[in-house]
Amino acid sequence: VPVLVLHGSEDQFIPAERARALAATNPNAEYVEVPGVGHGTPMEAPKDVADALRRLVERASDQQNAGQRNRTAA
């Protein structure tokens, strides 16, 4: 299952290193750092968040479609 770890570059509550470390624990995780925003990333940069979520959904859909093709071919 694809995972998105989204982090504001100016977040004063959660250091970027912790967010990167979280993403590193999952091989399906993507780390996205949004420049110039803090802990309220979805409110501060809604377009960037929407774009990252759109890519996540597309990646999940691509993986699901690939899995279906592999099951059909087997």
Side-chain angles (χ1 to χ4, degrees), residues 38-54:
H39 194 70
T41 303
M43 294 170 285
E44 296 176 52
K47 182 183 180 321
D48 292 328
V49 171
D51 290 345
L53 289 171
R54 187 174 302 108

Side-chain angles (χ1 to χ4, degrees), residues 8-10 34-38 44:
S9 67
E10 305 305 312
V34 182
V37 299
E44 296 176 52

Side-chain angles (χ1 to χ4, degrees), residues 8-65:
S9 67
E10 305 305 312
D11 191 331
Q12 298 298 308
F13 296 103
I14 300 173
E17 302 80 46
R18 288 189 63 199
R20 283 190 210 100
L22 176 63
T25 66
N26 187 317
N28 293 317
E30 175 186 5
Y31 174 78
V32 174
E33 187 168 293
V34 182
V37 299
H39 194 70
T41 303
M43 294 170 285
E44 296 176 52
K47 182 183 180 321
D48 292 328
V49 171
D51 290 345
L53 289 171
R54 187 174 302 108
R55 288 190 305 272
L56 176 72
V57 170
E58 288 170 357
R59 189 164 51 114
S61 178
D62 290 346
Q63 287 179 358
Q64 182 179 17
N65 290 337

